[in-house]
């Protein structure tokens, strides 16, 4: 089965070659003046722009702000989504009386909450957190509920045969069995949180990487803007990889399901 | 990309829960909101005011123009993403070399979040229809591409050998072997792509104030028309809900024609 993520850079000579060729062609076409694009900087200018924002410390402070907001929103989303998911996954009654509501609320595009959050909280970190939390809670909730409900009935029976109290069954049997699925939800949620933080900063809170993009666009510094775009992409990939690494370290037996459904 | 099992499991859970009583918490929340917030608050207007705001919106031509613009660009962007994703996906699924050569580059492009692309596209392409469609494509093409590539890649080489033995023509081969493998994967990809395309279509409008529902939402917020902002939130949610349901119906119809098959190699 094809998996683009598995074609690692180092071991993939044709891939590296194509990427290098594209970058070289981009540089050459602009340098030679074959293509005139006022706002398209050549890769070398983007690299210099990257050095510039690293040197003057702007990148560090912008990235710190965005990361802080994304992580805070993510933690709140997990804190709210996991217990709710646990409840929904383990109780048929709770499912019956709430699943339809969730199905109605879940397809609301997350971004649609931004204007309302802006209205409630103004230009602030709280607004950013609100924009992040509402959409980021769904992957955690749905994956937790799904994987808790999917724990095999026989495992429950084992717990009952051993006369474990309900709390112990939950702690010792259900949670470990459902953990990989919950982690998938957490990972999807983190990726979402980063994107939403950037969106919130572009629409509202004038801080962080998202605002930096808009700022450099308006300052007509496309080189810096491209540098920020690449940093945002790299940050997302890095967070994702870190979480996979962490999860496979904690649950070595569950590497398969952890990598599915991006 | 495997089928999102979480969706499937949710569907399975859904089956044992009839709809009406499941809506109770949402209804209770709205009723509580209405009862506890009888005065028009600038921040939490009661749902009755949302309704009035929605009616006001509905009487305005601007709203319908905005709805039309968002729908048109959403559909155009989605169609372009499907066409491009299918073409590149088939290429990547068939050729190991193509997958290796383009894989890293595509993986890198996929990692860039769509909102970050909006200012870049605005600067390069300018504020206009082409930019809106380009940004939607850039966000929605990946699920289609990856699923189609996986679908083509899963075709058992044995089936291709058999088609050679039976001397099937290219058209027959595509109809009998390739399509049944690709169609279910393609549908899955589109299902994942639809919400992405909606979100990005709205986002572009919010960021650039090009006409559309997203621009209306930001405008209502800037003018402190809170009941209008809530009404638009509900309407946008309804839009997403309807689009998802329409597609689910299409998907069910198509899957009856091309049911997903299990292949020996998967």
């Amino acid at each position: 089965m094809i998996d683009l993520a598995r074609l690692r850079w180092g071991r993939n000579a044709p891939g590296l070659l194509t990427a290098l060729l594209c970058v070289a062609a981009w540089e050459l076409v602009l340098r030679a003046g074959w293509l005139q694009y006022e706002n398209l900087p050549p890769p070398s200018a983007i690299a210099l722009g990257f050095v510039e924002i690293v040197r003057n410390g702007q990148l560090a402070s912008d990235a710190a702000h965005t990361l802080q907001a994304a992580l805070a929103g993510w933690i709140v989303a997990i804190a709210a989504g996991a217990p709710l998911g646990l409840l929904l996954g383990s109780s048929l009654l709770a499912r019956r009386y709430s699943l339809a509501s969730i199905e109605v609320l879940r397809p609301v595009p997350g971004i649609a909450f931004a204007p309302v959050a802006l209205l409630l909280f103004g230009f602030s970190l709280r607004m950013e957190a609100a924009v992040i939390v509402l959409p980021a809670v769904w992957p955690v909730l749905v994956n937790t509920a799904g994987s808790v409900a999917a724990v095999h009935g026989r495992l429950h029976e084992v717990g009952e045969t051993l006369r474990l109290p309900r709390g112990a069954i939950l702690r010792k049997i259900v949670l470990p069995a459902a953990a990989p699925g919950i982690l998938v939800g957490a990972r999807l949620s983190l990726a979402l949180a980063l994107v939403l933080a950037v969106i919130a900063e572009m629409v509202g809170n004038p801080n962080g990487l998202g605002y930096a993009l808009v700022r450099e666009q308006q300052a007509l510094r496309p080189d810096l803007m491209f540098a920020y775009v690449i940093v945002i992409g790299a940050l997302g990939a890095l967070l994702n990889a870190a979480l996979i690494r962490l999860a496979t370290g904690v649950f070595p037996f569950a590497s398969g399901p952890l990598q599915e459904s991006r | 990309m495997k089928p999102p099992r979480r969706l499937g499991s949710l569907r399975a859970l859904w089956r044992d829960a009839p709809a009406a009583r499941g809506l109770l918490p949402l209804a209770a929340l709205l009723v509580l909101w209405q009862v506890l917030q009888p005065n028009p608050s600038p921040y939490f207007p009661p749902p009755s005011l949302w309704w009035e705001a929605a009616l006001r919106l509905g009487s305005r031509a601007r709203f319908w123009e905005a709805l039309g613009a968002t729908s048109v660009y959403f559909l155009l962007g989605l169609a372009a993403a499907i066409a491009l994703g299918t073409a590149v996906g088939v290429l990547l699924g068939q050729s190991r070399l193509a997958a290796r050569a383009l894989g890293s580059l595509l993986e890198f492009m996929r990692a860039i979040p769509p909102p970050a692309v909006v200012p870049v596209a605005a600067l390069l392409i300018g504020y206009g229809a082409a930019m809106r469609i380009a940004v939607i494509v850039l966000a929605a093409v990946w699920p289609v591409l990856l699923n189609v590539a996986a679908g083509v890649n899963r075709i058992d080489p044995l089936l291709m050998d058999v088609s050679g033995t039976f001397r099937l023509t290219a058209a027959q081969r595509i109809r009998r072997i390739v399509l049944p493998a690709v169609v279910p994967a393609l549908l899955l990809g589109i299902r994942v792509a639809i919400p992405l395309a909606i979100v990005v279509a709205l986002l572009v409008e919010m960021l650039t104030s090009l006409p559309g529902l997203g621009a209306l939402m930001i405008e209502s917020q800037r003018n402190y028309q809170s009941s209008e902002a809530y009404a638009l939130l509900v309407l946008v949610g309804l839009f997403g809900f309807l689009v998802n349901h329409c597609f689910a119906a299409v998907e069910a119809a198509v899957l009856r024609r091309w049911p997903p098959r299990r292949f020996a190699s998967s």
Side-chain angles (χ1 to χ4, degrees):
Chain A
M1 170 143 175
I2 181 169
D3 186 350
L4 295 185
R6 292 230 181 101
L7 301 171
R8 300 246 175 268
W9 290 78
R11 271 180 277 145
N12 180 11
L16 204 60
L17 202 68
T18 326
L20 282 178
L21 268 178
C22 282
V23 172
W26 178 358
E27 179 85 34
L28 190 72
V29 160
L30 287 176
R31 289 268 165 209
W34 293 335
L35 208 66
Q36 281 298 343
Y37 249 132
E38 219 176 315
N39 293 318
L40 184 64
S44 55
I46 297 172
L48 287 180
F50 179 72
V51 173
E52 186 184 325
I53 50 177
V54 170
R55 279 253 176 86
N56 64 20
Q58 207 141 45
L59 179 66
S61 71
D62 286 334
H65 181 274
T66 302
L67 265 181
Q68 187 193 345
L71 288 178
W74 181 56
I75 289 169
V76 176
I78 290 181
L84 267 176
L86 202 62
L87 178 71
L88 286 181
S90 47
S91 153
L92 186 64
L93 193 72
R95 277 208 291 281
R96 284 206 176 124
Y97 282 95
S98 62
L99 217 56
S101 301
I102 290 175
E103 280 289 293
V104 170
L105 288 178
R106 211 166 58 101
V108 176
I111 174 76
F113 288 107
V116 171
L118 210 54
L119 203 66
L120 293 182
F121 302 116
F123 301 113
S124 66
L125 194 65
R126 285 220 313 242
M127 171 264 173
E128 209 175 326
V131 171
I132 295 172
V133 168
L134 284 171
V137 90
W138 297 123
V140 179
L141 194 154
V142 170
N143 277 286
T144 306
S147 46
V148 166
V151 170
H152 203 285
R154 217 162 272 164
L155 285 178
H156 283 277
E157 286 165 18
V158 169
E160 273 157 31
T161 312
L162 294 173
R163 295 184 190 275
L164 290 177
R166 282 191 77 160
I169 293 184
L170 191 70
R171 216 172 49 244
K172 292 184 176 161
I173 295 179
V174 174
L175 274 183
I182 298 175
L183 272 172
V184 172
R187 195 162 61 77
L188 294 171
S189 174
L190 181 60
L192 204 57
L194 182 69
V195 175
L196 287 162
V198 171
I199 293 178
E201 289 159 0
M202 291 173 88
V203 185
N205 195 11
N207 261 314
L209 293 172
Y211 177 66
L213 279 176
V214 180
R215 187 183 65 212
E216 303 307 344
Q217 183 206 2
Q218 282 163 356
L220 288 180
R221 286 295 305 270
D223 49 340
L224 298 190
M225 189 179 68
F226 269 93
Y228 273 111
V229 169
I230 293 171
V231 166
I232 292 173
L235 202 60
L238 216 68
L239 280 181
N240 198 22
L243 215 58
I244 289 184
R245 177 63 61 88
L246 191 77
T248 40
V250 180
F251 299 102
F253 51 88
S255 58
L258 279 176
Q259 268 143 28
E260 81 182 21
S261 69
R262 262 162 293 180
Chain B
M1 194 167 204
K2 271 199 174 170
R5 228 187 25 179
R6 58 217 165 81
L7 254 184
S9 51
L10 201 71
R11 289 257 160 81
L13 297 180
W14 172 240
R15 237 175 276 128
D16 56 40
R21 56 183 167 185
L23 287 172
L24 272 178
L26 190 62
L29 182 79
L30 289 177
V31 168
L32 267 182
W33 192 328
Q34 178 72 40
V35 171
L36 295 180
Q37 189 70 265
N39 310 318
S41 136
Y43 297 116
F44 297 102
S48 61
L49 286 184
W50 309 359
W51 176 245
E52 283 168 25
L55 290 182
R56 262 205 315 280
L57 278 171
S59 68
R60 263 182 240 155
R62 267 197 75 210
F63 168 75
W64 296 106
E65 281 162 19
L67 179 63
T70 302
S71 318
V72 165
Y73 286 112
F74 158 69
L75 286 175
L76 283 176
L78 186 67
I82 292 170
L84 187 68
T86 311
V88 180
V90 168
L91 177 71
L92 292 191
Q94 261 180 347
S95 150
R96 185 91 195 121
L97 183 68
R100 285 175 68 86
L102 294 177
S104 318
L105 204 61
L106 292 178
E107 190 63 28
F108 175 72
M109 287 174 68
R110 198 167 72 95
I112 295 175
V117 178
V118 175
V120 175
L123 211 53
L124 288 183
I125 314 179
Y127 294 94
M131 183 271 271
R132 297 172 76 155
I133 295 174
V135 177
I136 295 176
V137 169
L138 217 52
V141 77
W142 306 113
V144 178
L145 191 156
L146 290 173
N147 277 294
V148 169
V152 172
N153 200 243
R154 262 201 307 266
I155 295 178
D156 198 326
L158 199 66
L159 279 177
M160 282 301 180
D161 293 346
V162 169
S163 76
T165 314
F166 283 176
R167 292 176 194 274
L168 295 188
T169 62
Q172 280 172 323
R173 190 179 303 179
I174 285 173
R175 202 161 53 97
R176 306 215 173 245
I177 297 174
V178 178
L179 268 187
V182 170
V183 166
L186 177 64
L187 287 174
L188 180 64
I190 297 174
R191 194 166 69 200
V192 180
I194 284 177
L196 285 175
I198 297 181
V199 167
V200 175
L202 291 172
L203 185 68
V204 175
E205 292 157 8
M206 284 187 186
L207 291 175
T208 63
S209 295
L210 287 167
L213 288 180
L216 274 192
M217 298 180 86
I218 281 287
E219 200 182 284
S220 67
Q221 173 263 320
R222 281 193 187 135
N223 299 334
Y224 292 98
Q225 300 280 338
S226 57
S227 50
E228 219 158 90
Y230 280 94
L232 280 166
L233 173 60
V234 175
L235 287 170
V236 165
L238 215 60
F239 180 75
F241 191 76
L242 279 178
V243 170
N244 281 336
H245 271 249
C246 289
F247 180 70
V250 172
E251 192 182 18
V254 176
L255 282 183
R256 262 198 300 280
R257 173 71 183 77
W258 283 286
R261 283 189 203 166
R262 298 199 157 269
F263 293 98
S265 64
S266 65

